[in-house]
Amino acid sequence: MKKHPQLVVESNFSFKNSTTFFSQRMTKLEYTDNHKQKIVYFFHGNLSSEELGYFMDEFSKMFLQKTNISQVILGAKNIPTAYRNMLDHFDVSWFEIDLTLAKNMIKQQESTKINFKNRIERSKYHDALLVFTEGFLGADLNTSWDDFSLLVSDQQVSKVEGESPNCKERVFQIYYRHQLRYEGLIQITYQKRNELMQWPDLLTVCMTEVNSLNEDTLRNDVFKLSIDFQTCVDWNTGYLFTEILCDDERLTERDAERIQYILQKWNLHHNYSFHLAEYDQADLEYFIKKLISITLLKSTAHSKQPIS
């Protein structure tokens, strides 16, 4: 539903953001066409009376708020007939989604798009991604936000496996109110595509508190957050989107809400995107600040320390 909005909304709407609420077994998805928004409440299983009540409560709140939301939609794996009849009576949009049928639909849609031109475009953006990651590894990533300062080393280290490097990394430090609090690594992992070429695969942040830092803990016993380049790049347009979700089952709903609140406080909550071939220093700054911030907040939540 994120990668293929047409499964649930009109084709002119694009995915904007999502939040998963584990206690309700529900994901709230937001779509936009730059003028209006559509909100989808998708319950992961068969819709229960309690979950229907939660949706109706959220649905009623929309009428009390003056927003640009044009439609609120209910989705579930299965919706009982009585609930469907009631939703139809009140003209509330709903849908059921069968995972097997959805996968087959997506597979069919993607197969129809694969032609010679698209293969050329995909190759071009793969090249652009390779250039971006090489530039990212050498760029000035030092920045600051709120009470935090990020210092990233100039030195880039390659980890060699076989005849070519499969991982490149840079060391960083995070200062909180001028005191060194965290250290870690920014890693880019590569996968071989053929005998001569390898493509960027994962961007990973490894982070630990400075008082527990040593060579072994930095690489093995630290909190890690990874971004899969193959899924966060729109291969049709060449845009890299920076939405980094807090959909970790180890996080409580309260932790996820706190993280979203703090990101908003730090002005890092936007679903920000930039073109792989046309980004500037401001794009890099937003990207690295958001990546480091979410790693920091999630690691703090996992360690059960208070998120200040």
Side-chain angles (χ1 to χ4, degrees):
M1 286 185 284
K2 297 174 185 176
K3 192 173 182 180
H4 301 274
Q6 65 271 20
L7 288 173
V8 294
V9 294
E10 295 91 331
S11 58
N12 60 311
F13 279 80
S14 58
F15 171 72
K16 180 182 179 184
N17 200 2
S18 70
T19 307
T20 297
F21 301 87
F22 295 101
S23 59
Q24 278 92 16
R25 299 186 308 139
M26 182 271 293
T27 296
K28 178 182 177 183
L29 303 106
E30 301 177 32
Y31 301 87
T32 182
D33 68 349
N34 294 325
H35 299 289
K36 294 288 186 179
Q37 282 186 298
K38 292 183 183 289
I39 306 295
V40 173
Y41 289 88
F42 181 73
F43 293 90
H44 303 164
N46 299 330
L47 189 70
S48 67
S49 58
E50 181 181 358
E51 291 166 341
L52 177 63
Y54 178 83
F55 168 77
M56 296 304 292
D57 183 58
E58 292 294 309
F59 186 65
S60 64
K61 291 177 183 177
M62 298 295 177
F63 291 100
L64 302 177
Q65 302 171 353
K66 293 183 178 180
T67 67
N68 63 343
I69 295 173
S70 61
Q71 191 178 25
V72 179
I73 305 170
L74 169 64
K77 185 177 179 181
N78 178 264
I79 302 176
T81 302
Y83 297 164
R84 282 183 272 159
N85 293 338
M86 183 271 291
L87 293 168
D88 288 338
H89 179 75
F90 290 106
D91 198 26
V92 178
S93 298
W94 58 270
F95 68 91
E96 294 179 328
I97 189 163
D98 180 277
L99 296 182
T100 302
L101 291 176
K103 288 178 181 178
N104 290 336
M105 183 188 302
I106 292 168
K107 185 177 181 180
Q108 184 178 11
Q109 289 175 347
E110 290 186 338
S111 65
T112 59
K113 295 179 181 179
I114 298 177
N115 52 40
F116 183 70
K117 180 181 178 181
N118 283 342
R119 286 198 294 271
I120 294 175
E121 291 297 311
R122 186 176 176 85
S123 176
K124 179 177 71 174
Y125 292 133
H126 266 116
D127 291 341
L129 176 61
L130 183 60
V131 172
F132 167 76
T133 54
E134 291 299 310
F136 182 80
L137 286 164
D140 178 8
L141 299 178
N142 297 333
T143 187
S144 61
W145 66 102
D146 198 64
D147 290 321
F148 293 93
S149 297
L150 172 69
L151 298 180
V152 183
S153 69
D154 294 332
Q155 185 178 8
Q156 169 190 315
V157 179
S158 297
K159 303 299 178 183
V160 178
E161 182 178 293
E163 297 182 356
S164 58
N166 74 323
C167 179
K168 297 180 180 180
E169 58 189 35
R170 294 171 69 181
V171 175
F172 68 82
Q173 296 178 324
I174 299 177
Y175 288 80
Y176 178 70
R177 294 179 179 174
H178 308 295
Q179 291 187 341
L180 179 61
R181 294 289 297 272
Y182 297 90
E183 293 191 346
L185 300 170
I186 300 171
Q187 298 176 327
I188 294 182
T189 306
Y190 296 79
Q191 279 192 356
K192 259 192 173 182
R193 299 303 181 195
N194 54 50
E195 291 298 320
L196 301 176
M197 183 65 67
Q198 52 183 16
W199 297 112
D201 185 42
L202 295 176
L203 172 59
T204 303
V205 174
C206 309
M207 184 181 295
T208 188
E209 285 190 80
V210 70
N211 58 9
S212 62
L213 180 67
N214 59 57
E215 183 68 17
D216 292 331
T217 59
L218 185 56
R219 301 183 187 281
N220 299 308
D221 301 326
V222 298
F223 183 83
K224 296 183 179 181
L225 178 70
S226 294
I227 295 177
D228 185 348
F229 282 122
Q230 301 309 310
T231 58
C232 71
V233 173
D234 183 341
W235 296 108
N236 292 318
T237 63
Y239 274 86
L240 171 70
F241 55 87
T242 63
E243 186 206 15
I244 308 165
L245 299 177
C246 298
D247 54 354
D248 189 328
E249 292 185 359
R250 291 174 293 175
L251 293 181
T252 65
E253 181 180 334
R254 187 178 181 187
D255 285 334
E257 290 175 348
R258 284 179 174 177
I259 288 174
Q260 293 295 342
Y261 171 78
I262 294 173
L263 289 176
Q264 186 169 4
K265 176 184 174 183
W266 293 345
N267 200 29
L268 295 172
H269 60 293
H270 306 288
N271 184 26
Y272 193 86
S273 63
F274 56 87
H275 198 279
L276 288 170
E278 299 174 0
Y279 63 92
D280 56 22
Q281 186 62 30
D283 295 324
L284 283 182
E285 276 198 24
Y286 187 93
F287 182 47
I288 192 64
K289 284 194 290 189
K290 187 163 187 176
L291 182 61
I292 293 292
S293 294
I294 291 185
T295 307
L296 172 63
L297 293 170
K298 290 181 73 171
S299 66
T300 303
H302 284 188
S303 64
K304 303 303 180 184
Q305 298 174 9
I307 301 178
S308 59

